Amino acid sequence: MRFATGMVLIDAPHSALNMLGIDESLADRNVTRVKTFRKGGKRYPYVSPQAWRYWWRFTLKEHFNWELSPLYREQKQVFTAANPLKYPDDDVFGYMRAFKKGGVNVTVTRVSPLKNTPLISILPDRSSLTVDEGYASRHEGDPVPYSQEFYSTVFKGAFSLDLEAIGRFTLISKAGFKNLLTWDDVPRDKKGNPKKGTEDVVREIEDMEHIAKELGVEKRDKEWLMPPEIRKKRATDAIKALRLLTGGAKQTAYHTDITPKFVLLLNVDAGINPFISDIVFEEKGEIKFDSNALAKRLADLKDVIPDGAKLYIGYDEGFVRALGWDIDEIAKAVKESGIEVFTGTVGEAIAEFTKEIEAYYG
């Protein structure tokens, strides 16, 4: 197994990227809150993991021509087409469709190969959050007061992409692993034909098999495997999309570039992410980078870092200068722990990292 892991820092100098909505607990009900959570006596703004995933999907559609899986509604559920052969986002982002159609259980689920944290503010709210007091006055009569919170901070997020799971669809009857319907799911009459009322299910299976034949999918006992070129493209597109990440709320009033200004990227042969805990942290209102902690952590994980794999450090010159970070010092500390390092712009680091991913698929 191999996982493409990473950490991103998103600079949000005046932003309200993911709002909680109106605070109903206040008497005037005119304050729009940002999302925050409490940790160790402090509150931190955050962007929900689903918001980040939405931005990621949208970027893949806009810049990599991904045809996104359509949404359907059944009873109180909303789900995608659950067709990972046709729709790459069903493959990479996973799905859950759980209901019966025509008396047939058409439940299929797929654990998402792409996992991500929320984007968490490194600075607590007391050092990053403020309230803008405004008035709506473009109508006749008295102006209407309103308030909305926004922040100035840097968000940290981490992700892990399971390269082995991309383009690999299991048929095991277990939650998260029954990725596709099969002919075993179709009830038969006494003559062995699909029962009346199962036409939609039969059509779905026939459509899936037709696509599989066209794409050259390899069918095994308990899994279907897509050709390496398709798996390679989906995996590298997903990583390259970080460079062009687009989205966020309140962009008309608080325009923010959400492309990462700093990335750490590393392939590991284990389902772990070495970048999640406090390598980047707040100290007396400043954002610090602990290069020694990173170096020691990677040295400790050396047995699961593939031969020839590098740590890729991508950075924006102005961003790291404003924080007072020394990239050469970070790279030196990691190299001394026995890990090779590549440094460059964010775009250069992502481009080089995806070459390692391509090599994995052959």
Side-chain angles (χ1 to χ4, degrees), residues 125-253:
D125 64 345
R126 71 185 183 196
S127 302
S128 61
L129 198 63
T130 190
V131 180
D132 176 53
E133 306 284 354
Y135 291 89
S137 58
R138 295 182 62 190
H139 58 284
E140 291 188 6
D142 296 334
V144 178
Y146 67 93
S147 303
Q148 58 185 21
E149 294 179 334
F150 72 99
Y151 38 67
S152 177
T153 189
V154 172
F155 286 103
K156 180 178 73 173
F159 67 88
S160 172
L161 179 63
D162 185 343
L163 301 183
E164 194 55 38
I166 297 286
R168 182 185 295 275
F169 311 119
T170 53
L171 307 175
I172 301 168
S173 184
K174 178 182 173 184
F177 294 88
K178 184 169 175 51
N179 299 161
L180 306 171
L181 290 180
T182 68
W183 289 112
D184 292 339
D185 298 306
V186 181
R188 306 276 175 170
D189 60 20
K190 292 180 180 178
K191 295 182 179 178
N193 298 317
K195 281 187 175 179
K196 197 172 181 181
T198 62
E199 291 82 1
D200 287 347
V201 179
V202 169
R203 198 175 302 116
E204 178 177 329
I205 295 172
E206 289 178 341
D207 183 49
M208 201 78 73
E209 291 197 328
H210 176 71
I211 296 171
K213 186 177 181 181
E214 279 192 333
L215 296 178
V217 173
E218 180 185 348
K219 294 181 180 178
R220 299 176 178 176
D221 182 29
K222 289 292 182 182
E223 66 178 18
W224 289 13
L225 189 64
M226 299 193 83
E229 287 304 314
I230 296 177
R231 301 174 71 200
K232 181 190 303 184
K233 183 177 187 312
R234 290 181 177 184
T236 54
D237 280 358
I239 299 300
K240 290 175 181 175
L242 287 170
R243 182 67 190 93
L244 301 168
L245 201 62
T246 304
K250 301 288 184 182
Q251 286 281 12
T252 51

Side-chain angles (χ1 to χ4, degrees), residues 194-352:
K195 281 187 175 179
K196 197 172 181 181
T198 62
E199 291 82 1
D200 287 347
V201 179
V202 169
R203 198 175 302 116
E204 178 177 329
I205 295 172
E206 289 178 341
D207 183 49
M208 201 78 73
E209 291 197 328
H210 176 71
I211 296 171
K213 186 177 181 181
E214 279 192 333
L215 296 178
V217 173
E218 180 185 348
K219 294 181 180 178
R220 299 176 178 176
D221 182 29
K222 289 292 182 182
E223 66 178 18
W224 289 13
L225 189 64
M226 299 193 83
E229 287 304 314
I230 296 177
R231 301 174 71 200
K232 181 190 303 184
K233 183 177 187 312
R234 290 181 177 184
T236 54
D237 280 358
I239 299 300
K240 290 175 181 175
L242 287 170
R243 182 67 190 93
L244 301 168
L245 201 62
T246 304
K250 301 288 184 182
Q251 286 281 12
T252 51
Y254 300 96
H255 184 43
T256 301
D257 174 18
I258 65 164
T259 58
K261 296 298 183 294
F262 183 87
V263 296
L264 295 176
L265 302 164
L266 177 70
N267 279 312
V268 292
D269 286 336
I272 57 175
N273 189 315
F275 309 124
I276 283 184
S277 59
D278 294 336
I279 299 168
V280 182
F281 60 98
E282 181 260 348
E283 185 177 84
K284 298 179 181 178
E286 295 185 355
I287 299 174
K288 304 284 188 179
F289 191 102
D290 192 336
S291 53
N292 289 325
L294 174 63
K296 289 181 179 178
R297 189 173 301 164
L298 295 183
D300 193 44
L301 297 172
K302 200 170 180 181
D303 58 328
V304 292
I305 297 175
D307 291 340
K310 296 179 183 176
L311 171 70
Y312 295 85
I313 303 175
Y315 64 98
D316 177 272
E317 188 72 41
F319 177 73
V320 298
R321 183 178 61 243
L323 295 178
W325 293 0
D326 186 334
I327 298 299
D328 291 337
E329 182 182 299
I330 297 171
K332 181 182 176 185
V334 175
K335 284 179 181 175
E336 287 176 353
S337 71
I339 308 297
E340 290 297 313
V341 179
F342 172 91
T343 61
T345 67
V346 172
E348 290 168 347
I350 289 175
E352 291 299 314

Side-chain angles (χ1 to χ4, degrees), residues 108-129:
V108 285
T109 57
R110 174 168 172 77
V111 176
S112 173
L114 177 63
K115 299 171 178 61
N116 60 277
T117 66
L119 296 169
I120 306 294
S121 168
I122 297 170
L123 301 175
D125 64 345
R126 71 185 183 196
S127 302
S128 61
L129 198 63

